[in-house]
Amino acid sequence: MAKVYVASSWQNEYQQSIVSFLRRKGHEVYDFMNPEGKTDFHWSQVSENWQQMDTDEHLDALEHPLAQTGFKSDFDAMRWADVCVLVLPCGASAHSEAGWMKGAGKKVVVYQNRPQKPELMYKLFDGIFPMATDVARFLKEFDNMNDLKST
């Protein structure tokens, strides 16, 4: 089965349900909110001023041990995964993850289950799907094309 990286936002109400749905379908799924080893990261862990950091504060925060551990966990998972599911709405980090994964030769699909502002560069990706079942169908076809079997 495909190894899936779900890229989204802490504020996205659909992130946990798509992680659960894909796991029920038999996929290994990286969940940045609940990673193995408890390496989940949120900016509030390193700065009370996390929503309005200036550039110097941001650069310092990126060097914080918790930020480095969180980055390593997420980036290792990005390298591990076969497919990225970009769950909208989300922000710059999730889009950076999806862009890196596509550039690394991995499949990337967008899960857009409600109207969103159109994005021209989504043409880079391998599909835009309005329903979780559409994402599951894409992953099943990916598995079949790559001869990945359920374990």
Side-chain angles (χ1 to χ4, degrees), residues 1-7 22 27-31 74 77-87 97-98 100-102 104-111 125-127 129 134-146 148:
M1 298 294 278
K3 296 178 285 190
V4 181
Y5 185 94
V6 173
L22 295 175
H27 300 286
E28 291 181 75
V29 181
Y30 178 75
D31 176 7
D74 289 356
M78 290 164 59
R79 289 187 288 230
W80 160 85
D82 303 309
V83 178
C84 174
V85 177
L86 181 66
V87 181
E97 292 163 344
W100 182 89
M101 292 184 77
K102 187 61 182 176
K106 297 167 187 272
K107 297 293 184 185
V108 178
V109 296
V110 178
Y111 175 50
F125 299 147
D126 300 287
F129 302 117
D134 298 323
V135 174
R137 188 174 306 112
F138 175 88
L139 292 172
K140 184 175 183 178
E141 290 171 10
F142 175 86
D143 290 345
N144 290 339
M145 287 177 42
N146 293 286
L148 298 174

Side-chain angles (χ1 to χ4, degrees), residues 14-27 29 111 131-137 139:
Y14 308 108
Q15 188 270 351
Q16 287 295 289
S17 63
I18 194 76
V19 166
S20 296
F21 174 78
L22 295 175
R23 285 179 175 163
R24 284 193 307 273
K25 293 291 184 183
H27 300 286
V29 181
Y111 175 50
M131 296 174 53
T133 54
D134 298 323
V135 174
R137 188 174 306 112
L139 292 172

Side-chain angles (χ1 to χ4, degrees), residues 32-106:
F32 70 89
M33 289 187 188
N34 301 292
E36 288 185 31
K38 303 289 184 209
T39 55
D40 58 315
F41 172 78
H42 193 277
W43 287 111
S44 62
Q45 296 170 301
V46 300
S47 174
E48 292 177 9
N49 188 40
W50 69 274
Q51 291 181 311
Q52 298 189 23
M53 288 184 192
D54 64 27
T55 302
D56 287 338
E57 289 173 307
H58 185 196
L59 291 171
D60 287 345
L62 286 170
E63 297 305 317
H64 190 284
L66 290 174
Q68 292 197 16
T69 300
F71 175 81
K72 182 180 181 335
S73 177
D74 289 356
F75 195 57
D76 286 350
M78 290 164 59
R79 289 187 288 230
W80 160 85
D82 303 309
V83 178
C84 174
V85 177
L86 181 66
V87 181
L88 300 181
C90 59
S93 286
H95 281 87
S96 296
E97 292 163 344
W100 182 89
M101 292 184 77
K102 187 61 182 176
K106 297 167 187 272

